[in-house]
Amino acid sequence: MPECYARSCKLSARPGQLTISCAVPVSAAWPLQMVETDGGIRAVDWVWCDAASGRAGAMVPLPADTQSVRGRGIEVIIAANWKMNPPLADAAALAVAYAADSFDGVTRILFPPAPYLVQMGVRLDGTDMLVGGQDCHHNASGAHTGDVAAGMLADCGARVVLLGHSERRADHGEDDALVATKAAAALSAGLDVMICVGETLDQREAGSAEAVVTVQLEGSVPAGIDASRLMLAYEPVWAIGTGKVAGVEEIAAMHAAIQRWLAKRDLASVPILYGGSVKPGNADAIFGVPDVGGALVGGASLKAEDFNGICSAGARAAAARS
Ligand code: PEP
């Protein structure tokens, strides 16, 4: 294995990530001491190799890319939230399938489980799909067993972090104030943030959906945030993973309300993604709703065909808007 590295591999570095392209397929990880990059000799711990693509990557801290995810003139953002899925072998195959396609006018973001970040980043390197973290701690370091700091995500190639997902709010009791502190930590580490808001079914039936979401926005979005670093995801809790998608009128009304809230804070350019059982069959209708800037996709992102179908709808929407 080291012979293969010595003879046939070419290194290239880009902010946040080091890539090694191998001329021969390799299938395992092996330890390296030092590698040479444009930035000089650097120590690395492990290099991942990918038998399918013949590519490899190393976990090595490089200067964070300070360009916003949205600094690329992108129309529609489609994010895949894998949650605590799938097994690594399936994840690798899925990333290879994602990498095979690209969609005009669409920026794709993958939120894999944290242990997969480097490997997924390597597989998606050179594509239009970025990787991000599903959560981060609000401190930069310290005695927080099981947690991951925003800077660690950035060192592993993440460009953005998902915060305030309803599953974290429910499973870990995360409140708006904590989400705002996490967002501040992520921004300090050079990451963009995607903050999730959304009402429960009881709250919608009680007629308080808009009020609930407004409170979440007030509490979760750090004051004075740079609009180019923020994305929002409106995800009605009752539509996540349930197969129940909000109606286009409900989506339109909530997105318009969020847009008004943003406009009052000089954040009008912030994209608002919709999330909750988005599928290829409903994506065109959802992307046709004014103020919908993309989608946050859970279940359907675990099937490449479904995710690609949603991205194709995103490309149609981007073409229609341009
Ligand atoms: C999500 O996880 O944010 C989500 C929207 O999941 P699903 O698409 O499965 O409803």
Side-chain angles (χ1 to χ4, degrees), residues 81 83 165 167 235 239-243 275-279 296-300:
N81 176 18
K83 313 188 188 200
H165 191 283
E167 286 153 13
E235 299 205 301
I240 297 177
T242 59
S277 299
V278 178
K279 305 268 185 280
L296 179 54
V297 184

Side-chain angles (χ1 to χ4, degrees), residues 11-295:
L11 298 176
S12 69
R14 65 168 196 168
Q17 192 169 288
L18 177 79
T19 300
I20 304 173
S21 304
C22 291
V24 295
V26 285
S27 60
W30 77 94
L32 278 187
Q33 302 287 304
M34 308 293 273
V35 294
E36 190 174 348
T37 74
D38 290 349
I41 305 280
R42 288 177 178 276
V44 297
D45 290 331
W46 284 88
V47 172
W48 273 268
C49 294
D50 170 13
S53 65
R55 306 172 94 190
M59 187 184 288
V60 51
L62 294 174
D65 187 341
T66 49
Q67 191 193 21
S68 158
V69 167
R70 294 166 45 226
R72 302 162 53 194
I74 296 307
E75 299 285 335
V76 174
I77 297 166
I78 305 187
N81 176 18
W82 281 358
K83 313 188 188 200
M84 205 166 70
N85 302 295
L88 183 57
D90 295 350
L94 203 45
V96 168
Y98 283 174
D101 280 300
S102 70
F103 301 88
D104 286 346
V106 175
T107 271
R108 297 177 295 163
I109 303 171
L110 171 60
F111 294 112
Y116 300 173
L117 252 182
V118 172
Q119 196 164 347
M120 295 306 116
V122 167
R123 285 180 187 248
L124 295 168
D125 187 35
T127 76
D128 62 4
M129 193 164 196
L130 310 167
V131 290
Q134 293 182 9
D135 178 52
C136 69
H137 197 270
H138 60 282
N139 285 329
S141 63
H144 305 290
T145 303
D147 281 312
V148 177
M152 294 171 179
L153 296 175
D155 284 347
C156 290
R159 298 278 301 281
V160 54
V161 63
L162 189 62
L163 294 172
H165 191 283
S166 62
E167 286 153 13
R168 291 214 56 93
R169 291 178 187 261
D171 293 356
H172 300 275
E174 295 191 358
D175 61 13
D176 297 332
L178 181 60
V179 174
T181 355
K182 287 182 177 208
L187 294 165
S188 301
L191 296 175
D192 290 0
V193 294
M194 184 182 290
I195 296 178
C196 303
V197 292
E199 81 286 357
T200 63
L201 188 55
D202 285 351
Q203 291 164 336
R204 174 153 288 273
E205 286 175 351
S208 55
E210 203 176 305
V212 166
V213 167
T214 304
V215 168
Q216 290 175 335
L217 290 169
E218 294 284 355
S220 310
V221 177
I225 190 170
D226 173 351
S228 72
R229 295 276 169 196
L230 173 64
M231 292 164 272
L232 292 177
Y234 166 57
E235 299 205 301
V237 179
W238 47 273
I240 297 177
T242 59
K244 287 183 205 158
V245 65
V248 286
E249 295 80 14
E250 289 167 320
I251 298 173
M254 187 61 83
H255 278 239
I258 296 173
Q259 190 63 54
R260 285 194 296 276
W261 185 89
L262 287 169
K264 279 192 213 143
R265 280 150 192 85
D266 265 349
L267 297 171
S269 61
V270 169
I272 313 164
L273 282 64
Y274 169 79
S277 299
V278 178
K279 305 268 185 280
N282 57 29
D284 281 300
I286 291 169
F287 293 143
V289 174
D291 300 319
V292 169

